[in-house]
Amino acid sequence: MAECASLFTSYGYAKKVLGVNEEAATLSNPVPFWKLVVSGAGSGFASSCVLTPVELIKCRLQAQLNCPSGSTNYKGPIDCIVRTVREEGVTGLWRGNLSTLAREVPGNMAWFGVYEAGMRFVQQARGDERKKDVPLYWSALSGSAAGVAYWALPFPADTVKSKIQTDNRFQGESFASVFKTIVKEEGVAGLYRGCPITCLRAIPS
């Protein structure tokens, strides 16, 4: 919920800064596409600040599910937060933030770009003067395509982020260093492990 709130609030703010007025936009006088893509990048930057601590806790709790019984590190989310701050400082909650940025900025450029491109294509094909005239089912279809694009484009960055946040081997390592290690140990396919199912999951969501 916090991610969605920060994402769409920052997207709206970025559009406002760029002078986007979608209420006044028409088929013959559309919003410049680049402004929508740049606004998507801005929303990805802002949401990363909120998302990194949330995903760090989630990834660490999920990672310990694979540990042998009785060897789990955390009792729950609160315990994970407290221990992370105690052992790594408050900044430890933002471990992997660069990787999150590497996913969220291009990911949201892709998400909003594909969504807006899909809506504009349908608008032109149907001759709808305003975007709000496009039927809801076309909006849903554009959203599904956007969700797939969001994950497919920056998925390697998400893989690197998860490694940095959950694998102690990579504590203090740079994004580039972890990226190279994954490719060396698992091949390029290792960067996309779990990508197909994640993209399928994004279609209805």
Side-chain angles (χ1 to χ4, degrees), residues 158-178:
D158 187 66
T159 301
V160 173
K161 176 194 73 68
S162 296
K163 292 282 189 182
I164 290 174
Q165 292 182 332
T166 62
D167 194 331
N168 288 328
R169 289 190 305 156
F170 300 122
Q171 186 166 5
E173 294 287 330
S174 68
F175 179 92
S177 175
V178 177

Side-chain angles (χ1 to χ4, degrees), residues 48-62:
S48 295
C49 299
V50 175
L51 199 55
T52 300
V54 174
E55 291 210 348
L56 179 128
I57 301 305
K58 182 193 74 174
C59 286
R60 289 187 173 181
L61 290 174
Q62 289 177 338

Side-chain angles (χ1 to χ4, degrees), residues 52 56 92 94-101 161 164-165:
T52 300
L56 179 128
W94 278 269
R95 178 178 171 182
N97 189 51
L98 180 60
S99 303
T100 306
L101 281 168
K161 176 194 73 68
I164 290 174
Q165 292 182 332

Side-chain angles (χ1 to χ4, degrees), residues 1-11 43 47 50-51 112 205:
M1 184 177 294
E3 176 194 2
C4 289
S6 62
L7 184 66
F8 286 101
T9 298
S10 54
Y11 182 61
S43 68
S47 67
V50 175
L51 199 55
F112 288 106
S205 62

